[in-house]
Amino acid sequence: MTAEAGAGRVSVLRMGDILIAAIQQELTDESALALQQDLTEMAAAGARGVVIEISGVEIVDSFLARVLSEIAAATNMLAGRTVVAGMRPSVAITLVEMGLGLRGLETARSLEDAMAVFRGQAGR
Amino acid sequence: MSRDEVTRLEIGSDVQIAGARQAVRQAAVAAGFSLVEQTKIVTAASELARNTLVHGGGGHMELAVVENSGGHGIRLTFTDDGPGIPDVDVALSDGYSTGNGLGLGLGGARRLVQDFTIESRPGGGTTVTAVAWSRMAQRVPR
Amino acid sequence: MTSVGSDGSGAATVAQVLETRGEQVAQQWADLPLFRNVYTTGRDAAVAAAHRLVRVLAEVARHGRLDDTSAPDFERVRPHLAQTVTARTRSGATHQQITAEVAELKRPLLEIVARETGGADGAVAAVELMGTLRVVVVEIALSEGAELIDRQRAQLLEISNPVIKLWDGVVAVPLIGTLDSARTQVVMEALLQAIVDQNAGMAILDITGVPMVDTVVAQYLLKTAMAVRLMGAECVISGIRPQIAQTIVQLGIDLGDITTRATLADALKWALGKAGVSVVVGEG
């Protein structure tokens, strides 16, 4: 749960035509925007899907929620899909209490389930 | 409520927003908040700190652990000397946004706490006070 | 008890006895069940507590407000009495027992008053004073009872909403009774945690036992379903009886894209179908 600027940059892995970003720590607004830019650019270079794994994220506020929604909207436009995986129960409850249902966002319980979505078999 | 210890943090950058979140998290743990209660108050703090930074041009947060006979609560006060909010009711409505976010900043934060007040005058800055109580403390009539 | 004047002098008499013989009264009270059962660690503490009560009663009598349960002097002793009553309640004493124990304080005081003063005025005033004390204790015990009910309700919340595993990857909460905000929060948290713990992809909220669905309850159900979806699992609401379905429509509540089923069995069938499990009814 560190909060240093810059140090919080999230690295993005490419597995074939799937991009995977696992957010392991709390993001500053700046590093969230950097991730958005990285993912959008890499998706534009060719990707079928994006998985953002957030099981390490303790809070999602409206700013990060907007970043996630915009990444999903951008990949949609580029004919891809974004799946947000591993949201914690406490984060999910807080988002709905705030009134954020994030309707357009695809979700999965885990990174594994998200990858299964792209393999064409709906994760159980 | 007796002799609250007040911690004051500057809100002048997004790194300091993250710092405010950490301070609130620690206070919520110390006040005996459940994981969900911690997450709600930290998220509210994040929204309000960003509001102070983006709309108020920076300011500060005061953090106090308060007490009633049922348990503990956390009181957060965000103060800025910014342009103020012309219409508080409009600012609290969903979809209102002048900066970043989903336009749910203030309204969303209000839904995450038990007590919420805004004092603002055009040109006179804004003070937002939010108080959240632990589940046991919420049972005590106020 | 002949005139108002004698009442007043009776109060003064009791006040004087309590002031001059306070130690003696406290010593005797300390041996009675009310104090003995609470201050189990030592007699000194019991005597001190009894003495505190004696001093307050002396003040009440001194001000001549023997029958006034809201006398300011009683206010000062309320916290102490409340501690005593709480301690007795926690150890299982009923209201009747506690008030009986308070009533026992009367006899030693009356004896001392009788010994110290000749007339009946003092005794009458002492009886009145102790009667008032009893009423104060009953008041405290009643508010204690309310708190106890609150505590028990909180405990009940935790145990009355079991999350049940119906199949691998399928969890369900059968909701029974009226839903309020505190209860739905507990349900929501328990269900979401079960999704993590059981690695469940399917969550069923069964409302067969919920008597009424209004906009508030519908909002709760909607929020829970949304939170389940955010975690990447699917939510079904089952047990929507015809008249509840009608209410939901009449209230104009939009359950959106939430899956609903008439019965828990239908919901389970749906969940198993999603999970790729087919149920074959055997013969014979």
Side-chain angles (χ1 to χ4, degrees), chain A residues 26-29 32 57-68 91 94-95 98 100 102, chain B residues 17-18 21 39 42-50 101-102 104-105 112:
Chain A
E26 205 187 330
L27 294 183
T28 60
D29 295 358
V57 175
E58 289 180 334
I59 79 147
V60 174
D61 60 11
S62 63
F63 182 85
L64 187 53
R66 184 193 64 132
V67 168
L68 295 176
V91 171
T94 303
L95 283 175
M98 273 203 288
L100 285 171
L102 300 181
Chain B
I17 295 179
R21 285 199 292 253
T39 308
V42 173
T43 307
S46 189
E47 302 292 349
L48 297 175
R50 185 171 298 101
L102 287 167
L104 278 162
L112 295 178

Side-chain angles (χ1 to χ4, degrees), chain C residues 121-267:
Chain C
D121 283 359
V124 169
V127 169
E128 194 175 1
L129 179 63
M130 296 311 283
T132 309
L133 176 67
R134 226 166 114 181
V135 173
V136 170
V137 169
V138 169
E139 280 174 11
I140 290 169
L142 288 178
S143 68
E144 266 296 306
E147 271 175 41
L148 187 71
I149 290 170
D150 258 8
R151 269 198 303 278
Q152 286 172 342
R153 190 182 292 150
Q155 287 165 359
L156 201 62
L157 271 182
E158 313 287 333
I159 56 170
S160 68
N161 301 298
V163 181
I164 300 162
K165 177 180 170 183
L166 289 183
W167 200 269
D168 276 346
V170 183
V171 292
V173 199
L175 292 166
I176 293 164
T178 311
L179 294 176
D180 60 20
S181 138
R183 184 142 176 245
T184 41
Q185 272 180 32
V186 172
V187 171
M188 201 195 285
E189 284 176 35
L191 184 63
L192 298 194
Q193 194 53 50
I195 288 171
V196 176
D197 295 344
Q198 314 263 356
N199 191 27
M202 240 60 84
I204 302 172
L205 269 175
D206 183 72
I207 61 166
T208 308
V210 177
M212 183 202 71
V213 172
D214 56 14
T215 33
V216 178
V217 172
Q219 281 295 331
Y220 292 146
L221 297 175
L222 215 58
K223 277 184 187 174
T224 307
M226 265 157 60
V228 168
R229 201 190 65 81
L230 281 174
M231 289 181 61
E234 290 187 68
C235 189
V236 199
I237 299 176
S238 68
I240 303 184
R241 284 172 283 128
Q243 75 256 42
I244 286 186
Q246 217 169 343
T247 320
I248 291 176
V249 173
Q250 279 163 358
L251 289 170
I253 298 162
D254 179 16
L255 286 181
D257 44 9
I258 294 168
T259 310
T260 53
R261 286 292 180 272
T263 66
L264 182 56
D266 293 338

Side-chain angles (χ1 to χ4, degrees), chain C residues 77-89:
Chain C
V77 83
R78 255 172 221 270
H80 297 300
L81 284 175
Q83 270 176 17
T84 307
V85 171
T86 306
R88 293 297 291 125
T89 313

Side-chain angles (χ1 to χ4, degrees), chain A:
Chain A
M1 222 175 59
T2 52
E4 294 93 4
R9 198 168 181 100
V10 179
S11 50
V12 179
L13 303 174
R14 179 184 279 278
M15 276 182 72
D17 49 7
I18 311 291
L19 300 174
I20 303 167
I23 306 177
Q24 308 278 6
Q25 78 280 45
E26 205 187 330
L27 294 183
T28 60
D29 295 358
E30 194 189 333
S31 42
L33 291 173
L35 174 65
Q36 181 177 7
Q37 194 172 352
D38 289 352
L39 278 175
T40 314
E41 279 170 11
M42 289 172 79
R48 191 159 60 92
V50 173
V51 179
I52 306 175
E53 205 277 338
I54 60 165
S55 65
V57 175
E58 289 180 334
I59 79 147
V60 174
D61 60 11
S62 63
F63 182 85
L64 187 53
R66 184 193 64 132
V67 168
L68 295 176
S69 293
E70 286 184 1
I71 292 171
T75 49
N76 265 342
M77 247 183 295
L78 299 162
R81 287 163 79 183
T82 292
V83 177
V84 172
M87 185 183 289
R88 296 183 179 197
S90 50
V91 171
I93 290 172
T94 303
L95 283 175
V96 298
E97 290 291 345
M98 273 203 288
L100 285 171
L102 300 181
R103 281 194 175 219
L105 213 61
E106 273 191 80
T107 52
R109 278 172 299 155
S110 61
L111 179 58
E112 203 183 338
D113 277 15
M115 296 305 284
V117 169
F118 290 114
R119 279 200 300 271
Q121 56 199 102
R124 206 165 61 78

